[in-house]
Amino acid sequence: MAFQKAVKGTILVGGGALASILGLSQFAHYRRKQVNLAYVEAAECVSEPVNREPPSREAQLLTLQNMSEFDILVIGGGATGCGCALDAVTRGLKTALVERDDFSSGTSSRSTKLIHGGVRYLQKAIMNLDIEQYRMVKEALHERANLLEIAPHLSAPLPIMLPIYKWWQLPYYWVGIKLYDLVAGSNCLKSSYVLSKSRALEHFPMLQKDKLVGAIVYYDGQHNDARMNLAIALTAARYGAATANYMEVVSLLKKTDPDTGKERVSGARCKDVLTGQEFDVRAKCVINATGPFTDTVRKMDDKNATAICQPSAGVHIVMPGYYSPESMGLLDPATSDGRVIFFLPWQKMTIAGTTDTPTDVTHHPIPSEEDINFILNEVRNYLSCDVEVRRGDVLAAWSGIRPLVTDPKSADTHDSGLITIAGGKWTTYRSMAEDTINAAIKAHNLKAGPSRTVGLFLQGGRDWSPTLYIRLVQDYGLESEVAQHLAATYGDKAFEVAKMASVTGKRWPIVGVRLVSEFPYIEVGWELV
């Protein structure tokens, strides 16, 4: 795969009170001691985090400033960057992670919300007899199962309907979907099945009836992408990684290798965006996991570096919930221009969107009116004429930029030891991170064991259960909908949020003052003790 290849020279692998009590200098000494102990414990045992709760951002900044040298410094707080930090720290490596904005503020929070193996890739693998495509699907299906296991509060299986309008397509797609189940093997979420025309309309009554032959339903995973990203970052912090958002890398540090006489990347000059303070973070290995800004960091290393990424935009719109059933999505495998469109239920709304349109890299990509109208037109093709698809029904829209690798074999004159991870997708973030840290260990002779992130629960996932929300209702007097929201967002940490919920002053609910009546988001209050 593209993100596992080596480009010559550059290795290309496809969040207080304690400070005010102790005083700043004492606190800095305490944190240095705590950090060193944390890394020792992390190296000895990965079964329990070294911190019950992630340290505050202030404490993390002190760690970044006072650590003489990290083993790994990751630039970029998206899914892959946070995955790299978690993989590294759970191997016992001294790990730092910096992100210029909020964690998951970029592409990782602007996805289709699916954890999928890639039905399209399997089709290409079969049609072209492409073993690499097949292996990619196989790996993604394994990673899909793992992600559903380690973050059950943030993810769940979702049935997706493929409507059939031509008789010959029914056996064609049926064989393809069944092969998808077969490749998944023991990781198959649920077996796919065929629906007659009448049964398809029962499940999806707003479908266009004319010429409808039937439908095929298969299963993939759906998740809360932004919360998932944050859970990975929080988990890395709990295991001892020094993580800080709003930390911009302004330049890369270099030093001369005494053996070769060549300059090697040895850290980064970082700027606290909130205060303007700058300081150096030194590391044996620096990992560039900046997504669409991959080439920007590579050019910090070498201004003559050849661009290796082609930015591609994925545009999605949010529409009212009545545009789709509450618990079933829809896939249009062949739009008017050959792209794929998903039509998915999401938090009582409907997400419709597509991917892979060439674009320019910007910090805040905005979907064009042309993209929005394209999606609306494709939606009209699949919905009954009784349903008027209106531009005014678009409640929100977003655009995410994917960093697709153009040519992994392109020549590059770097020889600085900078590790770059680019390409890939949400489903395979963990395996990509594992490959990246493996490459870092090999390239920089770091002492670490194998990856330990398969089956490692993310923040909030270990003690979650589907009935956890009932305890929130019974123990704290929350509305059922609010309790479900807290359980699905924070997992087993929902009780800590419920303890901070504002009292309503009513007989019921007892706590949980809604910010907006239509949504389950609530006020919280707390005291400093």
Side-chain angles (χ1 to χ4, degrees), residues 22 33 68 74 168 261 287 306 335 342 347 386 392 499 507:
L22 295 178
K33 217 173 148 188
S68 57
V74 183
W168 67 266
I287 294 175
T306 303
T335 63
F342 285 98
Q347 298 185 347
D386 296 334
K499 289 176 185 177
R507 293 188 63 184

Side-chain angles (χ1 to χ4, degrees), residues 298-306 414:
R298 292 178 67 251
K299 288 180 184 294
M300 283 185 186
D301 181 31
D302 179 1
K303 63 182 180 181
N304 297 316
T306 303
H414 287 61

Side-chain angles (χ1 to χ4, degrees), residues 372-390:
I372 293 173
N373 285 325
F374 170 79
I375 296 171
L376 289 174
N377 286 331
E378 294 302 324
V379 169
R380 289 187 184 100
N381 291 336
Y382 268 86
L383 295 188
S384 168
C385 57
D386 296 334
V387 180
E388 183 184 357
V389 180
R390 305 174 301 179

Side-chain angles (χ1 to χ4, degrees), residues 97-335:
L97 168 69
V98 293
E99 160 60 40
R100 177 176 53 194
D101 297 306
D102 270 324
F103 295 115
S104 197
S105 59
T107 307
S108 295
S109 63
R110 302 177 187 187
S111 73
T112 313
K113 320 296 183 189
L114 287 179
I115 314 169
H116 60 97
V119 175
R120 289 180 298 159
Y121 302 131
L122 183 59
Q123 181 188 29
K124 291 178 182 177
I126 295 170
M127 299 296 290
N128 302 327
L129 298 178
D130 190 333
I131 190 65
E132 285 299 319
Q133 290 275 358
Y134 170 80
R135 287 173 180 163
M136 185 171 70
V137 175
K138 185 78 174 174
E139 177 189 51
L141 289 170
H142 172 267
E143 293 299 322
R144 180 187 70 176
N146 181 68
L147 193 49
L148 288 167
E149 178 185 350
I150 65 177
H153 58 306
L154 296 170
S155 58
L158 176 72
I160 300 176
M161 179 185 291
L162 180 62
I164 306 296
Y165 287 93
K166 296 178 181 178
W167 280 107
W168 67 266
Q169 290 180 333
L170 191 58
Y172 175 77
Y173 285 121
W174 172 242
V175 170
I177 294 299
K178 272 302 172 187
L179 283 172
Y180 192 57
D181 291 349
L182 184 64
V183 173
S186 61
N187 294 322
C188 181
L189 301 181
K190 292 183 181 180
S191 184
S192 56
Y193 55 91
V194 175
L195 290 175
S196 65
K197 176 178 180 178
S198 60
R199 291 285 291 163
L201 291 172
E202 282 181 28
H203 286 281
F204 218 125
M206 59 284 294
L207 266 181
Q208 184 186 116
K209 304 176 182 64
D210 296 341
K211 298 182 180 180
L212 180 66
V213 173
I216 299 171
V217 177
Y218 73 98
Y219 286 81
D220 256 328
Q222 188 177 48
H223 72 146
N224 187 328
D225 53 5
R227 285 287 175 181
M228 187 73 79
N229 196 155
L230 186 57
I232 301 168
L234 288 169
T235 307
R238 291 186 65 202
Y239 278 99
T243 63
N245 55 1
Y246 292 97
M247 289 298 297
E248 180 180 5
V249 170
V250 294
S251 63
L252 296 177
L253 306 178
K254 292 191 176 183
K255 65 180 180 182
T256 302
D257 187 321
D259 296 328
T260 64
K262 295 180 179 180
E263 282 195 328
R264 304 276 288 177
V265 173
S266 60
R269 181 74 175 177
C270 298
K271 177 182 179 181
D272 186 336
V273 178
L274 302 180
T275 65
Q277 179 189 12
E278 292 189 12
F279 55 85
D280 292 340
V281 178
R282 299 195 175 276
K284 296 173 184 175
C285 171
V286 176
I287 294 175
N288 171 17
T290 54
F293 301 96
T294 292
D295 287 322
T296 301
V297 175
R298 292 178 67 251
K299 288 180 184 294
M300 283 185 186
D301 181 31
D302 179 1
K303 63 182 180 181
N304 297 316
T306 303
I308 61 170
C309 284
Q310 168 59 59
S312 176
V315 176
H316 298 80
I317 62 175
V318 179
M319 305 175 75
Y322 54 72
Y323 274 95
S324 67
E326 188 175 341
S327 57
M328 182 173 286
L330 182 142
L331 166 65
D332 177 358
T335 63

Side-chain angles (χ1 to χ4, degrees), residues 1 22 37 45 63 65 97 114 125 151 208 286 326 357 377 387 395 422 427 444 474 478 518 528:
M1 290 179 288
L22 295 178
L37 286 173
C45 180
T63 303
Q65 294 178 67
L97 168 69
L114 287 179
Q208 184 186 116
V286 176
E326 188 175 341
T357 303
N377 286 331
V387 180
L395 306 176
T427 312
H444 294 270
Q474 295 176 337
L478 288 161
E518 292 87 354
L528 294 177

